[in-house]
Amino acid sequence: MQLGFPIIDVVVLVGILALSIGIDFFGHKENKEIGIKSALLWSVFWIALALGYYAFIWVEHGKEFAALFLSGYVLEKSLSVDNLMVFMAIFASFGIKSTHLQHKILLWGIAGAIVFRGIFVAAGTALFNLHWSVQVLFGLIVAWSAVAIIKGGDEEEDIDYSKHWAVRLVGKVLPVHNALDGEKFITIKNGIKYATPALLCVFVIELTDIVFSFDSVPAVIGVTQEPLLVYSAMLMAVLGLRALFFVLSVAVKYLVHLEKAVAVVLVFVGAKLMYHPFGETLHAKWSFFPHDISPNVSLMIVLGTLALGVIASFIFPEKEEAAV
């Protein structure tokens, strides 16, 4: 059974996007710093909105499609943890400490992410069913992402994003001013327009998120190949990224084992992708092989593994190194 693009689902998604734009452009006008309490409340709001959409899919299309959406949403949300940690490093390298300016930059970065994820989802789901080798390739990409997370967790290398090649590219279009000018992206000095570090930061975050899409889109397609479910899962996760960023900036030091759990989930999704083209054949020859992994089983594995990562972080916290 295929979901397709039911009109009511499209209307609901467009309505959610309109709500998000209204909140972002009219609900955060005041130039004040973002506190952890406010970020936590907004994060709860966006999660509640995603769960409301999950309930809507359950009512409209049944629990299997709803489970596929929720699995994709949880996976995309968990992958965002690594992405947001990189964003923290980018803000630090450009000297952007104001949480209100960080929120403004993330707003533009996420607006771009919504557009580019839509393009990548359309291309990815179209390619997925062309040949079994594409499914295996997607599986290998997802599995490699897990390896990259594990290797990256052991590295303490600092990257100076202010010297990123994207910054040099912007410099060819506009001269670059070294200092911030309030929250302006472009400033005028002596009649000449300059790009501020805030604009450079937006550009680097945008390009970084596009790179992240090459990992996350195949991962979510590994859960479901329904374009509407893939995009809606990513959209719901992306809309809550700004609030999650400020929550994570405080909580990340406590969730020390969450990255390992995300890596295990990616290994599972990669294996599921590579198994998919051969499931029917293997099941026909040896009945103990499942012909496919059901949405409900996938959901339980994803949620269970991530929950174990969170629980392990509190039971086995990393010991702080003794000061020398």
Side-chain angles (χ1 to χ4, degrees), residues 35-322:
I36 184 62
K37 182 180 177 181
S38 172
L40 191 58
L41 289 173
W42 277 111
S43 194
V44 169
F45 167 78
W46 290 115
I47 292 171
L49 186 64
L51 292 176
Y53 187 74
Y54 162 73
F56 162 76
I57 295 176
W58 188 310
V59 171
E60 285 292 317
H61 308 292
K63 65 179 182 180
E64 284 206 357
F65 282 126
L68 289 172
F69 163 78
L70 190 58
S71 296
Y73 169 75
V74 171
L75 179 57
E76 177 69 10
K77 198 80 169 172
S78 59
L79 287 171
S80 301
V81 174
D82 264 7
N83 302 5
L84 293 178
M85 290 179 70
V86 173
F87 291 169
M88 289 178 199
I90 293 173
F91 284 134
S93 69
F94 284 101
I96 296 173
K97 299 176 181 178
S98 163
T99 56
H100 189 269
L101 180 54
Q102 289 174 353
H103 190 280
K104 183 178 177 181
I105 290 169
L106 286 173
L107 169 61
W108 289 104
I110 288 166
I114 290 171
V115 174
F116 286 112
R117 297 284 168 93
I119 295 169
F120 291 149
V121 166
T125 51
L127 286 170
F128 188 82
N129 291 314
L130 286 180
H131 193 264
W132 64 264
S133 59
V134 176
Q135 300 179 38
V136 173
L137 176 62
F138 276 27
L140 290 171
I141 290 172
V142 175
W144 175 251
S145 301
V147 174
I149 286 176
I150 294 168
K151 290 176 66 178
D154 297 330
E155 293 176 2
E156 298 294 334
E157 181 183 0
D158 291 326
I159 302 173
D160 187 358
Y161 289 94
S162 62
K163 294 184 170 68
H164 195 279
W165 61 266
V167 172
R168 296 196 296 271
L169 184 62
V170 172
K172 293 180 179 180
V173 180
L174 279 176
V176 176
H177 195 264
N178 292 329
L180 288 168
D181 184 3
E183 295 192 352
K184 295 179 181 176
F185 291 150
I186 296 175
T187 186
I188 299 176
K189 303 290 183 184
N190 299 322
I192 301 173
K193 290 183 179 179
Y194 290 88
T196 68
L199 180 62
L200 301 178
C201 190
V202 170
F203 198 55
V204 172
I205 280 181
E206 198 70 71
L207 288 174
T208 304
D209 187 73
I210 290 173
V211 173
F212 288 146
S213 298
F214 286 100
D215 291 337
S216 62
V217 171
V220 180
I221 289 175
V223 173
T224 173
Q225 291 79 56
E226 289 289 343
L228 185 66
L229 292 181
V230 175
Y231 186 65
S232 59
M234 290 191 149
L235 176 64
M236 292 297 179
V238 164
L239 289 179
L241 282 189
R242 293 177 304 285
L244 183 62
F245 173 84
F246 298 104
V247 174
L248 275 179
S249 64
V250 175
V252 73
K253 62 183 177 181
Y254 301 108
L255 302 177
V256 293
H257 298 299
L258 183 58
E259 274 194 342
K260 300 180 185 73
V262 172
V264 172
V265 169
L266 288 176
V267 170
F268 162 71
V269 172
K272 181 173 179 282
L273 272 168
M274 289 184 279
Y275 180 82
H276 185 267
F278 313 109
E280 292 288 351
T281 304
L282 291 171
H283 181 70
K285 289 186 176 181
W286 300 285
S287 59
F288 58 85
F289 279 104
H291 61 82
D292 199 5
I293 299 171
S294 73
N296 289 325
V297 170
S298 293
L299 177 60
M300 286 188 289
I301 291 173
V302 170
L303 288 175
T305 305
L306 294 174
L308 284 174
V310 173
I311 293 168
S313 297
F314 289 104
I315 296 176
F316 306 107
E318 284 187 350
K319 294 179 181 178
E320 294 184 8
E321 293 182 11

Side-chain angles (χ1 to χ4, degrees), residues 12-29:
V12 169
L13 272 182
V14 171
I16 289 171
L17 264 177
L19 173 68
S20 171
I21 291 168
I23 289 172
D24 285 328
F25 284 95
F26 299 105
H28 295 288
K29 273 188 170 182

